[in-house]
């Protein structure tokens, strides 16, 4: 643009070259802004998921008559049996072994309608971090600490840094 402005030479008038140059710079700036916004949103989602994972308490069953003790959700091991009642978050990935309940999986799937989870059949798997809306279920934990669906989602969100081209690196 400067060369065309000073010399008056070029394939197009200097005003047109300047307008196209300005348009391209605005495009690059907007793309960087949009990328920064998406990255910030992803970090916020990862923090929200971490909070759900670390703050959940589990009702680890200790006897046959639904007696339990509270333990941190991160302390559960594969094979532990937990009770989850209405209003409780499911502490870890598992399989329903007793009961039927309505579960809100919006935090995982984005679907606002609750789903029914029950023992036996293909609707027995539950995901940690989801909430039981009604009734109660007994769950056998099937995921090791750090290997749950929520843990994998956190790792994906935190590791989702887009690869930049050499041209993008030169412009930033």
């Amino acid at each position: 643009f400067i060369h065309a402005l000073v010399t008056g030479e070029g394939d197009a008038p200097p005003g047109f070259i300047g307008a196209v140059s300005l348009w391209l710079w605005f495009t690059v700036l907007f793309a960087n802004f949009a990328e920064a916004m998406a990255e910030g949103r992803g970090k916020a989602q990862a923090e929200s998921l971490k909070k759900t994972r670390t703050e959940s308490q589990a009702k680890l069953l200790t006897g046959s008559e639904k007696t339990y003790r509270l333990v941190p959700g991160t302390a559960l091991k594969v094979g532990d049996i937990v009770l989850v009642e209405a209003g409780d978050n499911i502490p870890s990935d598992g399989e329903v072994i007793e009961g039927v309940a309505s579960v809100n999986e919006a935090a995982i799937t984005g679907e606002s309608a609750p789903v029914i989870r029950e023992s036996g059949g293909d609707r027995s798997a539950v995901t940690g971090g989801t909430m039981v809306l009604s009734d109660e279920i007994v769950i056998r934990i099937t995921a090791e600490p750090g290997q749950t669906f929520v843990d994998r989602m956190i790792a994906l969100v935190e590791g989702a840094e887009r690869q930049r081209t050499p041209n993008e690196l030169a412009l930033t």
Side-chain angles (χ1 to χ4, degrees):
F1 166 69
I2 295 173
H3 173 69
L5 191 60
V6 172
T7 63
E9 298 176 8
D11 294 338
F16 179 74
I17 294 173
V20 169
S21 298
L22 188 62
W23 185 263
L24 289 174
W25 276 106
F26 277 131
T27 302
V28 169
L29 289 174
F30 179 75
N32 284 336
F33 176 71
E35 182 180 2
M37 292 288 292
E39 185 177 341
R41 191 170 174 205
K43 286 181 181 178
Q45 287 175 333
E47 288 303 315
S48 173
L49 288 170
K50 283 180 187 177
K51 193 181 218 183
T52 299
R53 178 185 64 191
T54 57
E55 290 181 356
S56 65
Q57 291 287 313
K59 297 174 182 174
L60 183 64
L61 291 176
T62 57
S64 61
E65 293 193 25
K66 296 192 180 175
T67 57
Y68 61 85
R69 63 183 167 93
L70 289 176
V71 297
T74 54
L76 295 172
K77 304 178 302 290
V78 171
D80 284 346
I81 308 294
V82 295
L83 172 68
V84 186
E85 298 172 310
D88 292 345
N89 280 334
I90 296 173
S92 185
D93 297 354
E95 179 183 0
V96 178
I97 58 173
E98 181 182 317
V100 178
S102 176
V103 178
N104 179 1
E105 295 183 342
I108 305 299
T109 64
E111 176 62 43
S112 60
V115 295
I116 302 297
R117 295 292 180 232
E118 59 187 342
S119 60
D122 60 347
R123 291 300 201 183
S124 63
V126 291
T127 305
T130 58
M131 180 183 278
V132 174
L133 298 176
S134 67
D135 303 310
E136 65 182 39
I137 50 178
V138 176
I139 299 171
R140 178 183 300 116
I141 302 301
T142 59
E144 291 289 341
Q147 299 297 317
T148 66
F149 182 78
V150 172
D151 291 320
R152 290 192 307 267
M153 279 183 55
I154 291 169
L156 280 173
V157 170
E158 288 179 339
E161 188 170 320
R162 187 172 67 89
Q163 296 295 320
R164 295 181 181 211
T165 66
N167 290 338
E168 287 177 315
L169 291 173
L171 292 174
T172 55

